[in-house]
Amino acid sequence: MSQDTFAAAREAITHSLGLHLHPVQLRAAEALLAGKIIEMQTGEGKTVAAVPAIATLAQDRHGVHVWTANDYLAARDAAWMAPAYQALGLTVAAISQHSSPAERHAAYRADITYLTPHECGFDYLRDSIALLPQHTVQRPFHAVVIDEADSILIDEARIPLVIASESSQHADHLAAADLAARSLLRHVHFHVESDGQIIHLTDPGIDLAEALLPTPNLYDNPDLLHALQNALHAHHLLRRDIDYLVTPSGVLPIDDYKGRTMRDRRWPAGLHAALETKEALPPRREGRILSAITLQHLTALYPFASGMTGTAASQAEEFRLVYGLEVEVIPTNRPNIRIDHPDRLFRSKAAQHQAVVAEIEGIHATGQPLLVATRSVEESQQLSALLQHLPHHLLNAKNEAEEAALIARAGEVGRITLSTNMAGRGVDIVLGPGAAERGGLAVLGVGRNESRRIDNQLRGRAGRQGDPGCSRFFVSYQDDLITTYLGTAEENPDDVQRLLEGRHLDLRLRLRKYEHVLEAQRLLHAQHRQTLETEAELLHHDDLWSQHLERVTQYRAGLHFLSYSGADPLPEYLRTIHQWFSELPLQSSDLSEGPLRRGATWTYLSTDQPFGTPFSRMLRSMLATLRVTMKGNPRYKV
């Protein structure tokens, strides 16, 4: 890679954008060019620092993809950096969810293409089932530079991208299970375990469920039991305005880390349909899965990858283990003088909110700008109601362009901005005139997140480029993090966050084992598909692969039943799908359903333990088996 190009890019930035790269920005560009993940504090200029590396990678004209957190940032960054690239003779384009196939085809042939990983992944999947070469839009992958790398490669790691047919099938038992779930009472008919993710029925609950549902024995009907578990999960574990929003377009999940709705995101294994039934919405048809890929495997398709984010050091082990990428921490251009105050702890949510309001009133009286972040849409609305006597701006689950405009003005004197979260926003908060003299931006966090990394992203909004600023978190022992994971009020929330970060890493590494074998099968399928000569053979092979994916998906959705006995489901899963794949009749022409219509795309969360740990399931299974045995014995009244 040419050092001359690297130097020319630096000069192009100066002359075409009027920006001068600091030594730390040049160091960041060199690290990106070396294939590393760089940690660069918010406001230090990551977007422009990446240009010399991107331009150097683009010199061989094979194409560089720049992944961004959303469509707005893809369009903004492409337009913003375009003069520098054009000064070097390079072409640049952006892709959004609204881009047509022709626009996508042209954009992928630019030297540099800005887009989200979702758009890139869905285009890859659509290309993989295209019948003719002229129907594809991408060219072979060459290099990718990933903005907000922790958000994309870690927070989104559990989310496969899915392309599906437009099936007419509906899930069974939805209405009956929903009615039963509404009739079952917490603490009487079922209990929610301490981690807030597992529901188990009591004996009275099983009796009532069997009276309400079309089955004499619930545990002899796994499909109906699964539907009831989903309905109970929808009613008692997923909360409106916290976990999801109900909109005219349907139920939209809310991203835990970013606090924004997620388009084309669904919960798996019938849970999303159960949620739609709960909210009296017509369940959407999921259709048959035609192809799927995780962001981990999508990233692995690039011969070269690097990335940047404001918080990467705490995830250095995961970047190394999963992606083979090292992390380099880039120092700030100027010393960080932000003051991070210790947490304030409260026994109740009411006391917590009162203290936050009092803090806002006191700071606002000085004219110091305020950014206040909550953990949910519901809580931000509650806080907004308590601040009706003060002018403020509420930002939650809106479109990215409106969000960016509100965030960009959050540093103005006297301004109060309420937000659900600040992860992956990609917009700097620049202090307005007179704000620095009043102490800079004050950041208040209402409750801690499950990850220290997300809290640090919020803190990093203050103290940009050596500016003054401060941060403080207000924690209640009624916060979800505390009530769900802490045993006593005397325990330290920091310890809980470290524990959860370790658990989440273990889960992502475990899920990778499930996806890895299926990805290997997908690659074998793709290689065999390339050898086929006729359109009929293309169609036949794709439908066989779709049938295999559907079978695996249904099997995986029921793995929690397999592990009720305490067994690890992974070995059996690997053995089973390997056998199924080896038995695919690749030369058979017996297709019962015929060619499938293609088009629908979505993403979904995946897990092999949707209803708890093997031990908890084993205990419930033993109790259920004992109950069934006793039920048939006249000596016992169950």
Side-chain angles (χ1 to χ4, degrees):
M1 294 181 183
S2 171
Q3 289 296 321
D4 292 339
T5 302
F6 195 91
R10 180 181 59 187
E11 294 303 314
I13 290 170
T14 300
H15 294 293
S16 61
L17 301 179
L19 301 173
H20 297 275
L21 292 183
H22 303 297
V24 294
Q25 290 175 302
L26 293 173
R27 176 175 167 182
E30 291 168 352
L32 286 173
L33 201 54
K36 295 182 179 180
I37 300 290
I38 62 166
E39 176 178 293
M40 200 171 182
Q41 295 300 308
T42 299
E44 291 291 307
K46 292 187 293 293
T47 302
V48 68
V51 169
I54 295 169
T56 303
L57 290 168
Q59 285 300 306
D60 55 14
R61 308 292 178 169
H62 292 312
V64 179
H65 295 172
V66 184
W67 285 358
T68 64
N70 57 57
D71 285 348
Y72 166 76
L73 294 178
R76 184 203 69 175
D77 293 353
W80 183 15
M81 298 296 116
Y85 293 130
Q86 291 165 354
L88 296 168
L90 298 171
T91 58
V92 59
I95 291 174
S96 76
Q97 60 179 304
H98 304 296
S99 299
S100 68
E103 290 169 337
R104 291 170 188 271
H105 186 276
Y108 281 119
R109 275 140 192 84
D111 296 317
I112 301 156
T113 308
Y114 284 79
L115 75 168
T116 68
H118 284 187
E119 293 305 317
C120 182
F122 285 137
D123 284 337
Y124 176 79
L125 293 176
R126 281 187 284 262
D127 281 2
S128 74
I129 61 172
L131 297 181
L132 298 172
Q134 57 265 38
H135 294 164
T136 64
V137 298
Q138 292 180 335
R139 53 177 170 162
F141 289 170
H142 170 57
V144 62
V145 176
I146 306 170
D147 197 4
E148 305 294 349
D150 57 339
S151 176
I152 290 172
L153 297 183
I154 294 177
D155 300 339
E156 302 281 313
R158 292 175 54 199
I159 306 172
L161 308 178
V162 176
I163 187 167
S165 65
E166 298 175 358
S167 171
S168 60
Q169 295 178 351
H170 277 91
D172 296 328
H173 311 307
L174 284 173
D178 184 76
L179 180 62
R182 293 176 186 274
S183 303
L184 299 178
L185 302 177
R186 190 168 182 169
H187 305 305
V188 177
H189 300 116
F190 67 90
H191 296 294
V192 179
E193 294 192 9
S194 59
D195 64 358
Q197 293 299 315
I198 308 168
I199 289 178
H200 61 86
L201 296 170
T202 65
D203 283 352
I206 295 173
D207 287 335
L208 180 57
E210 290 173 346
L212 295 171
L213 295 171
T215 179
N217 193 314
L218 189 59
Y219 288 89
D220 284 343
N221 192 327
D223 290 340
L224 199 54
L225 174 61
H226 183 62
L228 179 60
Q229 287 277 13
N230 277 335
L232 288 170
H233 194 126
H235 278 278
H236 300 284
L237 299 184
L238 294 176
R239 298 155 296 176
R240 185 168 178 165
D241 294 334
I242 295 178
D243 300 302
Y244 66 92
L245 290 182
V246 177
T247 72
S249 60
V251 170
L252 298 181
I254 295 175
D255 190 303
D256 287 341
Y257 296 99
K258 301 175 186 175
R260 290 180 297 203
T261 56
M262 301 177 287
R263 65 181 180 86
D264 297 328
R265 179 74 51 84
R266 294 180 67 83
W267 281 280
L271 180 55
H272 200 99
L275 194 61
E276 291 167 330
T277 304
K278 165 193 171 183
E279 297 294 346
L281 297 172
R284 286 190 292 172
R285 300 169 179 176
E286 293 191 351
R288 175 190 288 179
I289 294 176
L290 300 178
S291 192
I293 192 171
T294 64
L295 292 183
Q296 288 179 354
H297 289 116
L298 186 65
T299 305
L301 296 176
Y302 289 88
F304 177 92
S306 62
M308 51 192 176
T309 180
T311 48
S314 62
Q315 307 296 143
E317 180 184 9
E318 185 164 356
F319 280 122
R320 180 177 57 80
L321 289 175
V322 176
Y323 299 100
L325 298 173
E326 298 297 327
V327 171
E328 181 172 337
V329 178
I330 306 299
T332 56
N333 183 49
R334 297 175 181 173
N336 184 353
I337 61 173
R338 183 186 69 241
I339 301 172
D340 295 322
H341 297 291
D343 292 359
R344 293 186 61 186
L345 305 179
F346 303 89
R347 293 286 175 179
S348 69
K349 295 293 292 186
Q352 175 196 40
H353 287 178
Q354 289 173 3
V356 170
V357 170
E359 184 86 352
I360 292 172
E361 290 172 338
I363 294 175
H364 180 68
T366 70
Q368 185 177 8
L370 272 158
L371 173 64
V372 185
T374 66
R375 291 281 292 113
S376 70
V377 173
E378 179 186 55
E379 191 164 28
S380 67
Q381 291 172 338
Q382 292 172 351
L383 199 58
S384 178
L386 296 174
L387 290 172
Q388 288 302 309
H389 59 294
L390 294 177
H392 63 276
H393 303 271
L394 181 62
L395 183 155
N396 52 43
K398 296 181 179 179
N399 70 65
E400 287 92 354
E402 290 180 357
E403 289 180 350
L406 287 173
I407 294 169
R409 298 187 59 189
E412 296 177 358
V413 170
R415 195 169 178 93
I416 303 173
T417 305
L418 302 186
S419 172
T420 47
N421 210 306
M422 291 303 296
R425 301 283 183 172
V427 180
D428 287 345
I429 298 177
V430 179
L431 295 182
E437 292 75 14
R438 290 170 168 82
L441 182 66
V443 171
L444 305 182
V446 185
R448 290 288 200 100
N449 289 277
E450 290 189 5
S451 169
R452 292 170 296 164
R453 177 170 51 85
I454 305 302
D455 289 342
N456 289 336
Q457 287 184 0
L458 175 61
R459 282 195 181 99
R461 295 294 168 173
R464 172 189 178 276
Q465 287 281 349
D467 287 338
C470 63
S471 71
R472 188 192 295 275
F473 283 84
F474 292 71
V475 180
S476 163
Y477 287 111
Q478 291 181 336
D479 289 343
D480 287 346
L481 179 71
I482 309 300
T483 59
T484 302
Y485 298 105
L486 277 187
T488 67
E490 284 70 34
E491 293 185 65
N492 190 337
D494 288 339
D495 295 335
V496 180
Q497 289 177 311
R498 291 188 182 91
L499 175 64
L500 289 176
E501 288 165 4
R503 286 183 181 177
H504 292 328
L505 173 57
D506 290 342
L507 176 60
R508 288 191 290 267
L509 292 176
R510 180 176 180 82
L511 290 174
R512 187 168 181 253
K513 297 177 181 177
Y514 282 85
E515 299 295 342
H516 186 72
V517 65
L518 196 60
E519 174 64 11
Q521 292 179 352
R522 189 191 64 78
L523 291 175
L524 285 173
H525 154 77
Q527 291 171 4
H528 184 75
R529 189 181 192 272
Q530 292 175 355
T531 68
L532 302 177
E533 297 181 357
T534 70
E535 183 174 314
E537 288 177 324
L538 286 167
L539 283 172
H540 164 64
H541 199 64
D542 287 349
D543 286 344
L544 286 175
W545 176 246
S546 173
Q547 291 169 14
H548 177 63
L549 280 181
E550 183 176 35
R551 191 180 186 188
V552 171
T553 301
Q554 292 176 348
Y555 175 62
R556 188 164 169 178
L559 280 178
H560 56 282
F561 294 115
L562 175 67
S563 57
Y564 270 155
S565 62
D568 184 352
L570 180 59
E572 180 65 17
Y573 168 83
L574 297 177
R575 184 195 67 78
T576 300
I577 72 166
H578 175 73
Q579 178 180 337
W580 289 347
F581 185 74
S582 66
E583 294 173 351
L584 284 181
L586 297 181
Q587 303 307 317
S588 171
S589 60
D590 179 19
L591 296 177
S592 59
E593 297 187 27
L596 300 172
R597 296 176 61 192
R598 294 149 168 81
T601 58
W602 68 75
T603 64
Y604 62 85
L605 295 173
S606 62
T607 175
D608 65 329
Q609 297 180 356
F611 299 122
T613 64
F615 177 78
S616 63
R617 291 194 298 267
M618 177 182 69
L619 182 60
R620 296 201 303 277
S621 178
M622 292 172 59
L623 292 174
T625 302
L626 179 62
R627 179 187 181 280
V628 171
T629 302
M630 296 171 66
K631 190 174 184 179
N633 192 324
R635 295 179 56 191
Y636 297 97
K637 182 179 181 181
V638 181

